[in-house]
Amino acid sequence: MTKITDQPTYWYYDPENRAAPVRQLPWGTADQCNLSAPFQTQEAAELSRQAAHLAAQPQAWARAEEARRINAANGWGLGFELSHIPRYLALIHSEITEAACEAEPAKINHELGDVIVRALDLAHLTDPQATRLWFADPLNQSAVGTWGRNHPQHLWPTGALLYLHTITSRALEAYRKTEDDGRLRHNVVTELKTLVAYVVACMRVVQVDADPEAIVGKILAANATRGHRHGGRRA
């Protein structure tokens, strides 16, 4: 008798839903599901899925432009002047404090997402060209790098939240102590980039599988449906 062998299986990911986990399926069935090319190992499929997922994400500056467009439509930030920067930084401090007041990981990361939205909006208001330069990577790649002893995995929660306040205060110091307007814009946007990167790192400490890009996307989508800019009528 001829022995019937099991149909070989391979690993695939869904190109239309790159955030979904990879799947193991028999050879041939993937073609019917419009899945990726087959991979012999789960690790290879996962690496390819992650690369495709990152490649499909918008650059952070595009999110900054989206935040500015939504906020402008809701009447926020019109007639912006450099002298308004301290007010915007105060609101970032407020969002960090709101994150500190939450206990559930998902709610903490939502508030941290608000920090990112405000930082991106302020960066775009301060210097759109510098924002395109400094925020060229997708948000989910913003935390790449080393933070040394200040890494949020060592400091979370109290120390990491304090460090977020510190970075925000550095942006204020850049505003206060830089006389040349062009240099001021550059320095403030640079600190805001550092702030966003550190927020992303914090979000991944709060939730290992956190997707900062998705969180910010949901916040912006919600803000776009509101009758007035998010965060209250005064600020």
Side-chain angles (χ1 to χ4, degrees):
M1 294 179 61
T2 303
K3 182 178 179 180
I4 300 176
T5 59
D6 293 335
Q7 193 173 9
T9 60
Y10 294 87
W11 290 91
Y12 304 85
Y13 67 87
D14 185 353
E16 299 300 322
N17 184 14
R18 300 177 187 89
V22 298
R23 290 187 284 169
Q24 189 176 29
L25 296 170
W27 173 260
T29 60
D31 294 337
Q32 304 170 14
C33 303
N34 297 319
L35 298 179
S36 68
F39 296 88
Q40 291 187 338
T41 66
Q42 182 179 7
E43 291 75 14
E46 178 61 21
L47 287 173
S48 182
R49 182 199 68 78
Q50 291 178 8
H53 185 50
L54 284 174
Q57 293 176 358
Q59 294 169 298
W61 64 259
R63 286 303 196 190
E65 290 188 348
E66 183 181 1
R68 176 84 307 263
R69 183 172 62 253
I70 292 170
N71 285 345
N74 288 335
W76 172 245
L78 305 179
F80 175 81
E81 299 178 3
L82 291 181
S83 60
H84 298 164
I85 288 176
R87 180 198 313 169
Y88 284 75
L89 292 174
L91 293 169
I92 291 175
H93 278 299
S94 177
E95 297 291 1
I96 297 169
T97 301
E98 287 190 38
C101 293
E102 294 291 351
E104 297 180 16
K107 291 183 178 180
I108 293 172
N109 273 352
H110 181 87
E111 296 298 342
L112 291 176
D114 282 339
V115 174
I116 292 177
V117 170
R118 286 195 182 274
L120 291 176
D121 185 41
L122 177 55
H124 190 277
L125 284 167
T126 302
D127 192 330
Q129 288 72 33
T131 299
R132 277 182 170 256
L133 175 65
W134 288 108
F135 291 90
D137 294 326
L139 283 176
N140 284 353
Q141 291 180 302
S142 296
V144 175
T146 58
W147 297 98
R149 65 180 183 179
N150 291 319
H151 196 289
Q153 69 183 8
H154 305 311
L155 300 179
W156 186 265
T158 306
L161 290 165
L162 178 60
Y163 195 62
L164 287 175
H165 282 299
T166 299
I167 300 171
T168 307
S169 295
R170 287 204 314 244
L172 179 60
E173 288 300 289
Y175 164 80
R176 291 180 57 245
K177 296 182 178 180
T178 309
E179 295 183 2
D180 177 73
D181 282 357
R183 193 64 186 169
L184 182 155
R185 294 174 187 273
H186 176 274
N187 290 348
V188 169
V189 172
T190 300
E191 293 295 352
L192 291 172
K193 173 178 170 50
T194 302
L195 176 65
V196 168
Y198 197 76
V199 171
V200 169
C202 286
M203 294 170 89
R204 289 183 175 145
V205 171
V206 175
Q207 292 178 298
V208 176
D209 59 347
D211 187 342
E213 164 60 32
I215 292 171
V216 168
K218 289 179 181 178
I219 291 172
L220 291 173
N223 291 346
T225 65
R226 297 184 179 181
H228 195 274
R229 184 213 51 77
H230 76 289
R233 301 190 65 85
R234 288 186 180 273

